[in-house]
Amino acid sequence: MASSQALFDSIPTCYATVSIGTPDTPLDQKLEAIAAAGFQGIELGFPDLLSFASKRQNQEVQAQDFDTLCHVAPEVKQLVEKKGLKLVMLQPFSNLEGWPEGSDGREDAFRRAKGWIKIMEAVGTDMLQVGSTDSPHALGNLDSLAADLRQLADLLAAKNFRLAYENWCWATHAPDWKDVWEIVQKVDRPNVGLCLDTFQTAGGEWADPSTASGLIERAGGREALQSQFMTSLQTMSRTIPSEKIYILQISDAYKPSTPLDAKPDSSGLRPRGRWSSCLRPVPFDGGYLPVVDVTKAVLRTGFRGWFSMEVFDAGPEGSDQDWKDMKAYAKKAMASHKRLLEEAANS
């Protein structure tokens, strides 16, 4: 593998706006912190766009008020460009696929999709992140899931836009990278690829926030778990063409001090989803996932595209991130990025 400096020079860096501050934090302050740390691009989080629009309109803007969101989107585009950043992707679009034909859920999903495509035009990005559905109502047939994504891909293709499909490790039908890769192959469209993620991969196949050990507990213990996980990563490196990886999102995870309840919560969210929402720091800052191993596997595909920090860090207990110094946090994230490439190159 190339030296760490060569890797750093060749890989563009990105930061998700939802991963710094809160939705109430002014977007220009988030962008300032991200740019000052040396990142080259952003993922625009839909909550930040909603917050920006609400401030501009002096009233709460609803998630499906696409006319208003498109009206303010050019101002967001200008802010991003003024900071010298590229708007890499709009995220996170959820629960698109798997709804029964003719259902209200399916109608809502594609109404949202068409609205988001209009926003993409207005804000100046060509990539949409779609997370694998976590709806309990979604049908699990992979051909059906692929058909829905194919329909979205064709809507995006009309605008020369791309779809980055991500496995969410708490998803109902496609929680692993192998699942989303199989679906992407079934979709069979040139504008559909993968959004891989160190947390989603290691958090789904290696770790478990509902056990005392923080690991998936199975026969053979940790040695068997590690062997199976490394085999999965080797398969990833061999089977996914680099051009079908559109972006790699980076984060680690804290081991919960008390194991999370293995059952869904009152909203239906599974434990890995609850874990994801607030216990995801930058690598090398208190987490325990094998982030370097996942990164090495992705690099071995030949991928040298966007590395994006997407963290949800409320501290080890999930409640104590005050965001008093966003610039310092963004600089810590850039230092983590550099160390990650060093360790991936040298191990």
Side-chain angles (χ1 to χ4, degrees):
M1 195 174 289
S3 70
S4 59
Q5 186 60 49
L7 282 176
F8 181 76
D9 291 341
S10 67
I11 291 173
T13 56
C14 183
Y15 199 109
T17 62
V18 291
S19 296
I20 194 165
T22 72
D24 292 329
T25 303
L27 182 58
D28 61 333
Q29 293 180 19
K30 293 189 175 198
L31 297 177
E32 174 63 31
I34 291 167
F39 289 94
Q40 297 158 285
I42 63 159
E43 300 178 44
L44 177 62
F46 193 74
D48 287 312
L49 178 61
L50 275 178
S51 176
F52 182 86
S54 296
K55 289 183 174 71
R56 285 293 181 268
Q57 300 300 114
N58 293 313
Q59 61 181 0
E60 186 176 358
V61 174
Q62 299 302 310
Q64 295 201 27
D65 184 355
F66 299 120
D67 288 342
T68 299
L69 293 171
C70 288
H71 177 72
V72 303
E75 189 175 349
V76 173
K77 180 181 179 181
Q78 290 177 354
L79 283 175
V80 173
E81 291 174 347
K82 186 177 179 181
K83 299 300 182 184
L85 297 165
K86 177 178 174 61
L87 209 166
V88 177
M89 184 165 71
L90 179 64
Q91 63 107 318
F93 195 93
S94 61
N95 293 334
L96 173 95
E97 72 279 31
W99 294 101
E101 196 71 35
S103 66
D104 291 344
R106 192 174 198 281
E107 181 180 346
D108 174 74
F110 279 93
R111 180 171 57 248
R112 287 186 290 117
K114 291 172 184 176
W116 281 48
I117 290 171
K118 291 179 181 178
I119 292 169
M120 292 171 68
E121 284 189 280
V123 83
T125 188
D126 68 351
M127 189 155 65
L128 176 66
Q129 181 208 53
V130 177
S132 56
T133 183
D134 63 352
S135 171
H137 305 294
L139 304 176
N141 180 281
L142 294 191
D143 290 326
S144 175
L145 300 177
D148 290 341
L149 289 163
R150 189 179 303 116
Q151 182 175 341
L152 174 58
D154 291 343
L155 292 172
L156 289 163
K159 304 293 184 181
N160 293 317
F161 293 163
R162 297 180 295 162
L163 189 165
Y165 191 41
E166 179 181 14
N167 61 294
W168 286 349
C169 62
W170 61 93
T172 45
H173 299 298
D176 298 337
W177 73 262
K178 299 182 193 71
D179 302 318
V180 290
W181 174 229
E182 182 177 355
I183 291 169
V184 164
Q185 291 176 92
K186 287 178 177 292
V187 172
D188 192 24
R189 288 292 189 270
N191 65 326
V192 178
L194 296 173
C195 170
L196 295 178
D197 186 304
T198 58
F199 168 82
Q200 306 295 356
T201 298
E205 296 185 50
W206 185 85
D208 183 345
S210 69
T211 66
S213 66
L215 305 177
I216 295 173
E217 296 181 350
R218 56 167 56 107
R222 181 162 183 161
E223 184 176 345
L225 173 66
Q226 184 69 15
S227 176
Q228 184 172 341
F229 182 62
M230 295 306 294
T231 298
S232 174
L233 294 182
Q234 290 162 10
T235 303
M236 174 193 288
S237 299
R238 290 195 310 268
T239 59
I240 303 179
S242 60
E243 65 272 15
K244 278 296 186 179
I245 303 172
Y246 289 169
I247 190 167
L248 174 65
Q249 292 178 324
I250 307 292
S251 68
D252 204 335
Y254 299 115
K255 179 178 172 290
S257 56
T258 301
L260 303 185
D261 190 333
K263 295 180 292 188
D265 66 11
S266 59
S267 71
L269 190 61
R270 297 176 173 193
R272 284 186 171 90
R274 304 195 299 274
W275 186 36
S276 171
S277 68
C278 60
L279 291 169
R280 289 171 57 180
V282 300
F284 317 112
D285 195 38
Y288 74 112
L289 299 183
V291 173
V292 174
D293 289 334
V294 179
T295 303
K296 288 167 61 178
V298 174
L299 288 171
R300 285 186 180 127
T301 68
F303 175 73
R304 297 296 184 270
W306 290 99
F307 269 42
S308 184
M309 284 287 173
E310 190 206 33
V311 301
F312 299 99
D313 186 359
E317 299 302 321
S319 60
D320 60 357
Q321 183 64 258
D322 58 20
W323 295 113
K324 287 182 179 177
D325 194 342
M326 291 191 300
K327 286 188 176 181
Y329 194 93
K331 288 178 181 178
K332 179 170 69 173
M334 178 55 75
S336 171
H337 167 76
K338 292 178 179 179
R339 180 176 170 185
L340 180 63
L341 291 180
E342 288 173 359
E343 298 212 5
N346 298 326
S347 61

